[in-house]
Amino acid sequence: MFVIVQPSGGDGAEVVEPTPGVRQLIVGVGNAALSVQVPGRIGGPADAARFARGLSSAALDFAEWCEQQSFGRHRLGDSPRGGDPSASWPTEGGS
């Protein structure tokens, strides 16, 4: 299965505790949600932790790349710093 996600402003991720002592990572996009749960087997918590850390690392790398793109010539929104967005655009022959 291959799922493509194009997040909007209200989409996000959070850790929920549906019952005491049971936690899940929930990713919500539009009307859909993905739940990451701890496998109920020996080694399950360690596997879930390893998965979550890998997901976190990849997500941070992706977020940094997206933020860099938001300062380029193909910006879609307002400057997150509140200044003139063209001030951070690369110029010909340099930065």
Side-chain angles (χ1 to χ4, degrees):
M1 176 172 69
F2 193 81
V3 178
I4 296 173
V5 175
Q6 295 180 336
S8 296
D11 299 336
E14 64 180 325
V15 175
V16 299
E17 192 168 340
T19 57
V22 176
R23 290 189 175 189
Q24 300 174 8
L25 172 61
I26 303 293
V27 178
V29 179
N31 293 329
L34 170 72
S35 174
V36 179
Q37 301 176 351
V38 176
R41 57 176 161 70
I42 295 174
D47 290 341
R50 189 172 21 263
F51 176 82
R53 290 187 194 287
L55 182 62
S56 173
S57 177
L60 287 173
D61 287 347
F62 184 70
E64 288 174 5
W65 180 84
C66 290
E67 288 170 344
Q68 289 173 357
Q69 301 310 302
S70 73
F71 293 117
R73 293 188 187 275
H74 301 287
R75 298 185 71 255
L76 298 176
D78 295 331
S79 171
R81 295 188 180 146
D84 178 5
S86 65
S88 63
W89 290 354
T91 59
E92 289 185 32
S95 58

